[in-house]
Amino acid sequence: MRFKSIIKVVLFSYILLGVTSANAVTERDKFKRIHDRIAGIHPDEATLQAMENACTSGYTDDNGINHPGGAVGSAQCYEAASYVAIDNPRFYNTTLKNMVAPWTNEAQSVVEPLNDYSATIIGIVRDNLDFRRILTDNIIYTVGNQVVTNRNENLASPRAPYSGIATFSPSSNQHYIDAENNDVDLEAYLARTTQSSALGIPANAAAGIMTTRAAAKAFYIDGTNRAMFRFTILNHFCNDLEFYKDGTRPSDRIRQDVSRSPGGDSRIYLNNCIGCHAGMDGLAGAFAYYNYEYDPDVDPDAPNGLNNGIMSYKQNFDPEPFTGHGHKYLINAENFKWGYETTDDSWVNYWRNGPNINIGWDINNANLPASGNGAASLGAELANTNDFASCQVKKVFKTVCLRSPVNQADRDQVASITSNFISGSYNLKRAFVDSANYCLTPSALY
Amino acid sequence: MFFTKLTIRNIRTALLYIAVAFTLAACGGGDKTTGGVPSGGGGLTGAQFGCGSLDPAPATSDINAFCNEFWSQSNLQNNCATCHSDTASNPQEPLFVRSDNINQAYAEVLQPANSDPSKDIVDVNNPSQSYIIDQMLSGHHCWATPQVCADIVLTYIENWVGSSAGSSRTIQLTAPANSQPPGGGKEFPANATDSTDPSDPNITFEQIIYTPLLRQYCQDCHESGPGDPLFAGPDLTNSYILSQPRMNLDDPASSRYAIKLMTHTVACWNVDINDFHPDMQTEAMTRLTGDNCSDSSLAFELAIKRYAQFITSNAVDPSQFLISDATTIPDGIVAAGGARYEPNQIALYEFKSGQGSIAYDTSGAGTALDLSLNGGTIEWVGGWGIAINGQGDRAQSSSTNTKLYDLIQATGEYSVEAWVAPNNVTQENARIINYSGGGGDKNFALSQTMYNYNSQVRNANTDLMGEPPVSTLDADEVLQATLQHVVNTYDPVNGRQIYVNGELVASGDLQAGGSINNWSSTYSLVLGDERGANNDNNLWKGVIKMVSIHNRALNINQIQQNFTAGVGEKFFLLFDISHIQGVPAQSYIKFTVSQFDNYSYLFTDPTYVNLDLGVTSVNIPIRSMRIGVNSNQAPVGQAYYNLDTTITANNQLLSTIGTTVAAESGADQDEFYLIFEALGSESRNYAEPTYDPKPQSDLAPASAIGLRTFDEINATMSAMTGVSTQAVKSRYALVKQQLPADANINTFVTAHNIGLTQLAVEYCDVLVNDAAGGNTGTLFGNYDFSQPASAAFVNNTAKALIIDPLLEAANGYGMDAQMNTGNTFNEGGTVPDASGDTFTTKSELIYLIDNLCGGAGNCGATAAQTRLITKAVCTATIASANTLIQ
């Protein structure tokens, strides 16, 4: 009876909100919305006051950057107010973590524990780093035992862990699970270091999140390593492979394991399989030296990260079954023995031509060669595309506006925010600020 | 299909043979081992004419092989020796089955044929090009259908050549007879009733060829037999399909219909001028000879000429494209595969006939165990094979032919070898090859269960269904939905073993050692199901391209030899590039081409060859090669696009990569050519088309508000109450999955509400207990929680001391969009309920307190009730829409 009474009041609140939300929008409402969407939590009175003050008087954020503010209602006003929300630890612990969590697992579940993939993204955003580094850099963040005051700090090895949580280990996620369970302030305690020191891989093997343990566990586990390419595209180009299907590209890099006549019907291959594999197999060659090595007798999905798998890298191509990383590039070779036989970690980008020219390659005019060896150079190829930049903005837009771009006005806005993101040195906070600003305006309300 | 190709090629060769020959070492040749097994070849029962006691004895090992594998075969001795032997009553040359001197017989069989000197009786380098094969195809003293006779004799020749120790098979590369610039090939209209003449709707296949000629003059033999194929039946569409390979639109005189009548003198009739289309009668008048066959041939030639008269061709512009000459599969050279190991083969199904309802056993061993094709959806597939597609489909032998039983019982062991392409990896207990008695009983079976092949054999240690089976390991996933070579072997010592693609993948049969004496002789060999089944229980769906049964357990070397030999018909296609500047004369790009399945061709091993034996080194830059099909670059499957090298030597392999390109008009019709970006000293530029970005369509209008998700709700409640998330984390862990995971407001369900409220109860419990415990730092400040409820909630002002801080924490103030406009929470935000009464949030909470007290003024006298009611008010406040919605 009592519970029912409470529920009745709760439901009543929805009715009331529905009616009153049609009322005129005040500046306070806008600040509250900015805070709700960026920090994820309801602002208290003091926070709202701080945002109002930042709006007109400016605000110096936790990175020490001043945002001068402006007239009430101006973009500068909302930018300064937005940084108040960005400096709330919940922006990192909640909003960013949950935005990134689906990228880090094959099921794309948002209810995924914090891990080295998501922590590294959070750290890169916190430190205002070039977001392209998520696909290229020898970088990882762990949860240290000191508040990080210098956001340029880059440690030679992982810092001692936050009190009460497991030490970082390349063979366990417990460190991050503990940090999440203890609700450790990630903005304060995430410490930057190198994958080469933390994971024990060569520096040139590191390629941002593509070489984190979480990504390896999700996308290098078993199989043929194509999953790493597909999910990198899915998560960072915002389209699955079907979107990029192009059967007109050269088929000479399609590996031997792809049947050219599935079930005895080669139309399936010629009309479907080749569309993705022609481009993908050439690009995914970059991952030939990577593997997720784990004890198959330990459940890889065991709770609390108990399995002991590691992101493993072995230089040089080793085709030996079971032990050689290259073996997963040669399995089922008899499916089509005239297919491409992998011998190294070279990759080539056939999507530079054809319909996928519209991905917008090498947009920063760095004369990238469209081919190379290893994951880091592939990461640079992928990160320097318009689709990469646009995708990051779309994800932020959805996080802030709670919807995908739905019409031309939205798409134009995403293009504009993308342009700002690129010209703003790929600082993802810029996309949060711009998106928050856009979704305040009445035209974005439906 | 095979029949047609061979014949067309032979005829073209006879007419246009270019005397340029080049010897190439055989490709893909397996070793020539005979494995020490007594060589009876396909003639396990056919080798009735012993070679060991001949006088004179075979002079060489090759003559010995000839004797064992060819000369001694009963089919030849019984059908050929009546004329071509010294023992014949009227001996006719060549005496290739003569019994007086095996060495002479050997010499005669290698001689050119009298009636076609361009061919040897038996061409050991290119067995399918043997004159004797042509004779079999023409039905010359054939003891079965022409195709079956040809296949069986071909098997004899291949067994001979393959088993001859020290023999080195070579393939003669010759310039393609019909090499010409690509394009220009006229294409058939889509339908038999489509007119090819824009000004005359009656110029259709039906009205020009089918009705006046085929139905009138060919019907007797080619409607329902004995002629083969049945192109003169009542089904117009079928006739059209069968007739296309037999009509050459570019050169009507070369049409098989015309040539067959001219050269094979079949079914010629007394031609009348009215047999010609009016438009062709003038020409006919000048060409009619009075010879029935010549005139019948002319009737077809001119009918096809009229039919093709207005079909335009699409020539490829050599100024725009740097191209090779074009060629076709019928113009290719049969690429003999490596020798198969077949000494103990007792049944062989290669599905070469490509039509009809029988899959012939062409092993030549014993009485042929032919299979009847049953079911409504079973079909032939290109490049030799059958596809089993649906319920009732199967290929089944007679149960009265006991060949398998007899020959396997004699040895106590067997091997079942097949090239199969399962449709999928989900079918279970699906019988691929089944020596079946129906109802599950069987002598042996090769089956599929998802990713596994199974081997069942009835013996003393297994049941009547041959179970338990031996299977490949689940984890290995060796069965793939692609063409695979699979062999099940059985012998008493090792029991059942399974080999896939030349590797042993299942062994250690726990039921090994059992005798197979309990087999039944009345069972049938069935492909695709149990005998007589008409349900899905054991149906196997997929393509079978070859089945071979041996009455010995093949060893791994023999299995690998057969795997290496491959399956299906392969051709060398020579693409002439010698017309390109900077390329030496007689230069070709050679591809090995086969029909991969019904829908594509397989191109492999691109190699530069120069037919001038004197040319050993060249210097030919070559860049970006593409395959063209019928005047256009194949849009999909270009694997040599990135080729960029310099050809420096004859026989230089250009790439190890192979590719498949889509079939268009069929293997007999499709014309292939090569396109280059640069070759020799010439080059062309091919611009990529312009691709616009994909248009983006609008989505449905979306809500501007959404749900707070799980972590956000937790953090929000923590922020509202000032209670650490750590204080409630066990409760949060329980309800986390019940809270929204997606911000989309349309995903809201009431379960979210329950989870939200449960979490709020936990936060409020901690908050109130903390405050009641004396912590003045909470949002209740120094509120006295020790007072009884009756005092705490004595009036609305007193109640507001609880309600106001909670509302302020949960809602904030100064926001029109929120539930309250001022900081007293007494105004604004009213909404009528169903009864017409109006409420504010605050008044609702007041009613909640009254309700929990049992009515206004009835609050109890305990402090515990004060805390309890406070927790309830707190819960109702922070579990509100203001928390859930953002």
Side-chain angles (χ1 to χ4, degrees):
Chain A
M1 185 64 183
R2 285 171 178 165
F3 195 74
K4 283 185 178 174
S5 298
I6 295 167
I7 290 292
K8 182 185 166 193
V9 176
V10 169
L11 294 176
F12 171 76
S13 70
Y14 300 159
I15 299 168
L16 213 52
L17 188 72
V19 171
T20 55
S21 64
N23 294 348
V25 176
T26 68
E27 286 304 311
R28 265 214 158 196
D29 285 314
K30 293 180 180 177
F31 293 135
K32 179 181 184 298
R33 171 164 289 182
I34 289 173
H35 200 274
D36 275 352
R37 303 296 174 83
I38 291 179
I41 62 169
H42 177 73
D44 60 17
E45 176 62 18
T47 304
L48 285 170
Q49 282 292 341
M51 294 175 79
E52 286 176 337
N53 293 341
C55 162
T56 52
S57 305
Y59 176 74
T60 300
D61 68 22
D62 288 350
N63 291 64
I65 297 171
N66 182 257
H67 306 276
V72 174
S74 68
Q76 292 78 9
C77 154
Y78 298 128
E79 176 181 332
S82 295
Y83 272 95
V84 175
I86 285 172
D87 281 345
N88 189 309
R90 290 295 166 200
F91 170 65
Y92 300 95
N93 278 43
T94 303
T95 306
L96 269 182
K97 187 202 75 175
N98 287 343
M99 185 174 91
V100 177
W103 314 346
T104 69
N105 66 96
E106 193 170 8
Q108 300 183 278
S109 169
V110 69
V111 190
E112 181 75 6
L114 182 72
N115 51 50
D116 55 350
Y117 186 144
S118 46
T120 299
I121 298 265
I122 292 168
I124 284 173
V125 174
R126 182 199 64 182
D127 292 348
N128 289 342
L129 300 184
D130 186 326
F131 202 71
R132 289 173 295 179
R133 292 173 68 175
I134 70 164
L135 296 185
T136 62
D137 209 359
N138 183 9
I139 189 171
I140 194 169
Y141 282 81
T142 65
V143 185
N145 61 357
Q146 296 175 27
V147 173
V148 174
T149 54
N150 173 13
R151 295 198 169 176
N152 292 319
E153 179 183 66
N154 190 14
L155 303 169
S157 59
R159 175 168 280 150
Y162 185 88
S163 173
I165 73 171
T167 304
F168 172 85
S169 164
S171 62
S172 166
N173 194 43
Q174 199 59 47
H175 172 73
Y176 296 100
I177 291 172
D178 288 352
E180 181 174 11
N181 287 343
N182 287 291
D183 205 11
V184 177
D185 181 348
L186 298 178
E187 183 192 13
Y189 291 98
L190 277 182
R192 190 194 320 169
T193 184
T194 61
Q195 291 183 11
S196 46
S197 67
L199 300 174
I201 59 174
N204 64 1
I209 52 84
M210 293 192 291
T211 48
T212 57
R213 180 182 180 276
K217 180 169 178 278
F219 310 128
Y220 289 141
I221 190 168
D222 303 332
T224 63
N225 282 2
R226 292 187 179 96
M228 179 59 78
F229 178 75
R230 180 199 165 197
F231 281 90
T232 302
I233 292 293
L234 185 63
N235 292 320
H236 298 291
F237 278 15
C238 290
N239 293 301
D240 209 342
L241 284 169
E242 281 75 11
F243 184 85
Y244 298 109
K245 275 178 73 171
D246 177 14
T248 65
R249 294 307 95 198
S251 57
D252 58 339
R253 286 289 298 233
I254 300 179
R255 286 185 231 157
Q256 296 168 317
D257 60 336
V258 178
S259 171
R260 268 58 169 184
S261 183
D265 187 343
S266 57
R267 289 176 300 182
I268 297 170
Y269 168 77
L270 291 169
N271 295 332
N272 293 292
C273 310
I274 196 172
C276 297
H277 281 282
M280 170 172 66
D281 282 16
L283 291 159
F287 305 124
Y289 295 165
Y290 298 91
N291 197 8
Y292 182 69
E293 287 189 353
Y294 66 102
D295 180 353
D297 294 329
V298 178
D299 180 2
D301 295 319
N304 305 320
L306 292 176
N307 71 86
N308 59 357
I310 61 166
M311 207 298 293
S312 169
Y313 176 87
K314 287 184 180 171
Q315 192 104 34
N316 299 325
F317 194 75
D318 182 358
E320 283 301 309
F322 308 116
T323 56
H325 289 187
H327 175 63
K328 61 201 309 191
Y329 276 67
L330 300 176
I331 58 175
N332 293 320
E334 292 296 344
N335 278 1
F336 188 73
K337 62 185 177 186
W338 301 279
Y340 181 76
E341 185 176 348
T342 304
T343 56
D344 57 22
D345 64 346
S346 66
W347 60 268
V348 60
N349 183 4
Y350 290 156
W351 287 352
R352 281 279 188 115
N353 294 307
N356 289 323
I357 195 172
N358 291 308
I359 287 174
W361 302 98
D362 198 15
I363 52 170
N364 297 300
N365 300 316
N367 290 322
L368 296 173
S371 62
N373 286 76
S377 60
L378 175 68
E381 177 79 358
L382 299 178
N384 283 286
T385 61
N386 190 66
D387 276 13
F388 173 83
S390 173
C391 176
Q392 311 309 330
V393 169
K394 284 177 189 168
K395 291 181 292 192
V396 170
F397 184 94
K398 187 171 184 184
T399 300
V400 174
C401 300
L402 309 183
R403 59 187 168 84
S404 298
V406 297
N407 56 21
Q408 193 57 47
D410 281 357
R411 290 192 288 272
D412 290 345
Q413 188 62 31
V414 166
S416 168
I417 298 172
T418 302
S419 178
N420 286 347
F421 175 54
I422 294 169
S423 63
S425 301
Y426 287 86
N427 180 347
L428 199 67
K429 287 176 188 167
R430 180 80 248 163
F432 275 93
V433 170
D434 288 350
S435 298
N437 187 7
Y438 177 64
C439 287
L440 291 175
T441 58
S443 64
L445 302 175
Y446 294 91
Chain B
M1 286 297 208
F2 180 65
F3 180 56
T4 305
K5 288 172 201 163
L6 273 178
T7 306
I8 289 174
R9 181 171 48 253
N10 293 344
I11 290 164
R12 285 176 177 167
T13 305
L15 294 173
L16 302 165
Y17 208 82
I18 297 173
V20 180
F22 175 73
T23 302
L24 183 82
C27 85
D31 65 38
K32 305 299 190 293
T33 178
T34 54
V37 178
S39 183
L44 271 165
T45 58
Q48 300 162 358
F49 305 84
C51 296
S53 57
L54 291 178
D55 183 21
T60 67
S61 60
D62 194 40
I63 297 175
N64 193 49
F66 158 75
C67 180
N68 280 316
E69 305 293 348
F70 185 86
W71 180 88
S72 62
Q73 298 301 323
S74 58
N75 282 323
L76 300 183
Q77 287 291 347
N78 293 340
N79 294 286
C80 306
T82 51
C83 301
H84 296 290
S85 171
D86 61 301
T87 59
S89 56
N90 181 22
Q92 294 178 27
E93 293 289 341
L95 302 180
F96 64 93
V97 282
R98 63 193 303 163
S99 58
D100 59 333
N101 188 329
I102 186 68
N103 300 315
Q104 279 289 335
Y106 174 80
E108 298 218 17
V109 87
L110 297 178
Q111 295 299 311
N114 287 335
S115 54
D116 185 356
S118 70
K119 290 195 162 190
D120 293 339
I121 307 291
V122 167
D123 184 342
V124 292
N125 293 321
N126 208 344
S128 65
Q129 295 291 287
S130 303
Y131 180 76
I132 193 172
I133 300 298
D134 290 357
Q135 288 296 92
M136 290 295 105
L137 286 171
S138 73
H140 179 77
H141 284 269
C142 172
W143 60 95
T145 67
Q147 183 68 60
V148 170
C149 288
D151 290 346
I152 289 174
V153 174
L154 187 60
T155 301
Y156 295 156
I157 300 171
E158 288 178 340
N159 285 343
W160 157 22
V161 176
S163 66
S164 176
S167 72
S168 176
R169 300 178 64 179
T170 56
I171 293 172
Q172 299 282 324
L173 284 187
T174 57
N178 291 324
S179 189
Q180 58 191 5
K186 295 181 176 180
E187 295 181 13
F188 284 94
N191 302 301
T193 52
D194 293 343
S195 172
T196 58
D197 186 342
S199 62
D200 186 347
N202 298 319
I203 310 301
T204 66
F205 169 76
E206 180 185 21
Q207 296 187 56
I208 298 294
I209 294 152
Y210 179 71
T211 302
L213 298 176
L214 296 179
R215 289 292 278 171
Q216 190 166 346
Y217 299 117
C218 307
Q219 192 175 359
D220 285 351
C221 296
H222 290 278
E223 177 171 6
S224 56
D228 187 30
L230 304 177
F231 51 70
D235 185 337
L236 172 64
T237 302
N238 189 48
S239 173
Y240 187 48
I241 293 168
L242 293 172
S243 293
Q244 287 182 26
R246 295 167 172 79
M247 298 190 294
N248 187 331
L249 300 181
D250 299 305
D251 183 8
S254 296
S255 297
R256 179 166 163 70
Y257 281 143
I259 291 172
K260 179 91 174 175
L261 287 163
M262 178 76 83
T263 61
H264 289 77
T265 63
V266 246
C268 304
W269 70 95
N270 186 9
V271 179
D272 183 86
I273 190 66
N274 291 320
D275 287 330
F276 296 89
H277 188 275
D279 295 348
M280 310 308 291
Q281 287 177 354
T282 304
E283 181 176 350
M285 288 296 287
T286 65
R287 294 181 59 189
L288 281 169
T289 63
D291 174 72
N292 280 358
C293 287
S294 172
D295 294 346
S296 300
S297 174
L298 185 65
F300 267 95
E301 177 192 332
L302 296 187
I304 295 168
K305 184 176 180 181
R306 177 65 186 95
Y307 180 60
Q309 192 171 0
F310 289 99
I311 299 177
T312 55
S313 59
N314 301 312
V316 181
D317 180 1
S319 68
Q320 192 179 352
F321 296 95
L322 186 56
I323 47 179
S324 72
D325 275 358
T327 188
T328 62
I329 285 179
D331 279 335
I333 298 160
V334 174
R340 281 176 47 78
Y341 183 86
E342 296 176 336
N344 303 294
Q345 183 172 270
I346 56 174
L348 173 66
Y349 305 93
E350 296 183 286
F351 311 105
K352 288 183 179 178
S353 56
Q355 58 185 2
S357 59
I358 295 175
Y360 293 103
D361 168 13
T362 56
S363 64
T367 305
L369 186 67
D370 298 335
L371 306 177
S372 298
L373 305 189
N374 301 300
T377 54
I378 194 168
E379 60 181 348
W380 298 94
V381 298
W384 306 343
I386 56 170
I388 292 165
N389 296 314
Q391 195 178 93
D393 285 359
R394 64 181 179 277
Q396 182 172 313
S397 76
S398 157
S399 62
T400 59
N401 184 329
T402 60
K403 176 170 80 165
L404 291 188
Y405 175 85
D406 295 339
L407 296 177
I408 294 175
Q409 287 294 318
T411 60
E413 55 186 77
Y414 71 89
S415 298
V416 178
E417 177 192 5
W419 283 94
V420 298
N423 259 12
N424 57 61
V425 290
T426 57
Q427 49 196 342
E428 298 184 65
N429 297 315
R431 310 292 181 226
I432 305 171
I433 300 167
N434 195 358
Y435 194 4
S436 167
D441 288 355
K442 56 183 56 64
N443 290 333
F444 67 68
L446 163 65
S447 308
Q448 174 186 355
T449 297
M450 301 176 78
Y451 282 101
N452 297 330
Y453 287 107
N454 313 311
S455 176
Q456 293 154 274
V457 62
R458 177 191 291 188
N459 67 21
N461 298 332
T462 60
D463 65 16
L464 295 179
M465 294 187 282
E467 294 183 336
V470 165
S471 299
T472 54
L473 294 176
D474 289 346
D476 291 349
E477 297 188 350
V478 294
L479 186 149
Q480 300 279 319
T482 189
L483 188 64
Q484 293 187 311
H485 181 246
V486 55
V487 183
N488 279 4
T489 65
Y490 177 81
D491 67 77
V493 176
N494 296 305
R496 292 162 289 184
Q497 296 185 313
I498 303 175
Y499 298 80
V500 175
N501 291 340
E503 291 186 15
L504 177 63
V505 291
S507 58
D509 185 357
L510 298 176
Q511 281 73 40
S515 160
I516 60 171
N517 288 341
N518 56 353
W519 278 24
S520 168
S521 63
T522 60
Y523 287 179
S524 301
L525 184 67
V526 185
L527 311 185
D529 211 332
E530 295 286 355
R531 181 167 82 176
N534 194 23
N535 54 47
D536 287 332
N537 294 347
N538 298 107
L539 175 69
W540 179 82
K541 293 182 181 178
V543 172
I544 302 178
K545 301 203 76 169
M546 191 214 74
V547 174
S548 170
I549 298 173
H550 313 252
N551 69 342
R552 288 289 180 191
L554 301 180
N555 65 36
I556 190 163
N557 291 333
Q558 295 156 354
I559 288 168
Q560 288 177 344
Q561 177 182 339
N562 288 357
F563 170 58
T564 304
V567 66
E569 192 179 27
K570 295 174 187 156
F571 299 89
F572 291 139
L573 295 197
L574 297 183
F575 295 93
D576 191 345
I577 55 172
S578 51
H579 58 280
I580 293 170
Q581 291 178 23
V583 176
Q586 299 192 52
S587 288
Y588 296 84
I589 301 293
K590 174 174 73 73
F591 267 98
T592 303
V593 180
S594 60
Q595 190 166 1
F596 200 45
D597 59 21
N598 270 356
Y599 313 104
S600 70
Y601 307 106
L602 171 64
F603 281 68
T604 62
D605 303 310
T607 306
Y608 170 79
V609 295
N610 194 303
L611 297 184
D612 181 349
L613 289 172
V615 174
T616 54
S617 66
V618 292
N619 184 6
I620 311 169
I622 181 170
R623 189 177 73 239
S624 192
M625 180 169 71
R626 304 103 188 265
I627 296 169
V629 183
N630 299 335
S631 310
N632 291 299
Q633 177 177 316
V636 172
Q638 297 294 349
Y640 309 103
Y641 201 90
N642 296 304
L643 182 68
D644 188 358
T645 187
T646 298
I647 301 167
T648 57
N650 205 347
N651 295 317
Q652 180 174 328
L653 182 67
L654 302 178
S655 173
T656 58
I657 298 290
T659 190
T660 54
V661 297
E664 294 183 358
S665 304
D668 292 304
Q669 296 288 316
D670 283 334
E671 179 186 76
F672 308 102
Y673 65 106
L674 303 177
I675 308 163
F676 307 91
E677 211 166 87
L679 182 64
S681 56
E682 293 191 54
S683 64
R684 304 284 189 278
N685 290 320
Y686 307 124
E688 276 270 354
T690 303
Y691 298 95
D692 294 327
K694 294 177 183 173
Q696 294 177 292
S697 52
D698 287 355
L699 306 177
S703 171
I705 61 172
L707 302 176
R708 241 186 265 277
T709 57
F710 56 102
D711 274 351
E712 293 172 338
I713 288 170
N714 188 33
T716 293
M717 286 187 178
S718 174
M720 286 176 171
T721 60
V723 173
S724 164
T725 56
Q726 295 298 292
V728 300
K729 69 178 180 183
S730 58
R731 170 65 61 183
Y732 177 61
L734 289 174
V735 302
K736 185 176 181 179
Q737 301 271 12
Q738 196 176 335
L739 296 173
D742 191 323
N744 183 344
I745 200 149
N746 294 322
T747 63
F748 173 77
V749 293
T750 50
H752 292 155
N753 230 7
I754 305 302
L756 189 75
T757 306
Q758 287 179 315
L759 187 61
V761 166
E762 199 72 16
Y763 271 103
C764 291
D765 185 54
V766 174
L767 168 64
V768 173
N769 288 346
D770 193 21
N775 183 352
T776 60
T778 74
L779 57 86
F780 294 118
N782 54 5
Y783 185 83
D784 181 6
F785 279 101
S786 66
Q787 58 184 318
S790 53
F793 308 119
V794 65
N795 54 34
N796 285 356
T797 305
K799 292 168 190 169
L801 295 176
I802 290 296
I803 295 171
D804 285 356
L806 284 167
L807 283 178
E808 182 180 338
N811 297 340
Y813 48 83
M815 291 167 285
D816 282 344
Q818 303 306 314
M819 287 180 278
N820 303 283
T821 57
N823 57 8
T824 63
F825 300 104
N826 282 328
E827 54 190 290
T830 59
V831 62
D833 73 359
S835 63
D837 294 332
T838 58
F839 302 92
T840 65
T841 305
K842 185 171 182 177
S843 64
E844 269 296 293
L845 293 172
I846 289 170
Y847 296 150
L848 174 64
I849 292 171
D850 293 345
N851 192 21
L852 295 174
C853 286
N858 290 334
C859 292
T862 66
Q865 191 180 30
T866 301
R867 295 195 293 273
L868 196 61
I869 290 174
T870 301
K871 291 174 186 175
V873 173
C874 169
T875 301
T877 307
I878 71 163
S880 72
N882 213 30
T883 297
L884 183 63
I885 293 172
Q886 58 172 333

